[in-house]
Amino acid sequence: MKTFLYRSFIGILFGAFIAVILTNSVVLFSGKDMLDGQLFLKNSLGSIFCGWFFTVTPLFFENTSLRLSQQTALHFVTVVILYFILAFGIGWVPFTVKSFLLVFGMFVVCYSIFWTSFYLYFRGQAQKLNAELQEL
């Protein structure tokens, strides 16, 4: 529970940070003097929620009673469902089949890149630890 709360806090802060960076970028690069407050609130809350669930859902990978394939499937399905509910609800992705398929394809590519990168990193860490243990 302590880990869940800590990760929740970090995810909320990270999501809020991303919202601030995006908002400042819009103000700086679009030349707008004023923002729509309701739109800002909706997008900021979406970014915060997104930050939260992307930092909490990796807890699936800490469940040692599941195989890596099960952990990955649970994580993928959870983030896809939460992301698309959020993205369609807020309006980040238009609610059409073509938009869904395009964004889903990009999501799968990004997810695959991140998953492979983390897998290779942690496999390398395990090999390094095993080599150090062999020296003892």
Side-chain angles (χ1 to χ4, degrees):
M1 185 62 155
K2 184 179 178 182
T3 303
F4 177 81
L5 292 174
Y6 176 75
R7 288 194 186 182
S8 293
F9 183 70
I10 296 299
I12 289 168
L13 290 179
F14 186 73
F17 176 73
I18 295 297
V20 168
I21 295 297
L22 290 174
T23 302
N24 286 333
S25 298
V26 167
V27 170
L28 277 171
F29 299 117
S30 72
K32 291 187 176 184
D33 293 333
M34 293 184 65
L35 296 174
D36 179 3
Q38 196 171 18
L39 186 61
F40 169 76
L41 181 63
K42 183 171 64 169
N43 284 309
S44 294
L45 290 175
S47 182
I48 288 169
F49 183 63
C50 216
W52 173 76
F53 72 75
F54 274 111
T55 55
V56 170
T57 54
L59 288 171
F60 284 124
F61 293 106
E62 295 179 17
N63 185 346
T64 56
S65 65
L66 298 173
R67 293 187 316 270
L68 181 60
S69 59
Q70 293 171 318
Q71 294 168 337
T72 302
L74 280 171
H75 181 260
F76 180 78
V77 168
T78 303
V79 295
V80 162
I81 289 170
L82 291 174
Y83 178 76
F84 278 101
I85 288 171
L86 180 67
F88 287 140
I90 289 180
W92 291 345
V93 176
F95 194 66
T96 65
V97 173
K98 183 179 178 181
S99 296
F100 170 75
L101 293 175
L102 177 66
V103 174
F104 183 75
M106 292 186 321
F107 193 94
V108 168
V109 168
C110 290
Y111 189 93
S112 300
I113 290 169
F114 278 100
W115 187 92
T116 303
S117 299
F118 276 106
Y119 176 78
L120 293 174
Y121 171 77
F122 285 115
R123 188 178 75 176
Q125 292 295 323
Q127 289 172 346
K128 189 186 325 181
L129 287 171
N130 286 332
E132 289 176 11
L133 286 173
Q134 293 295 326
E135 291 175 6
L136 295 177

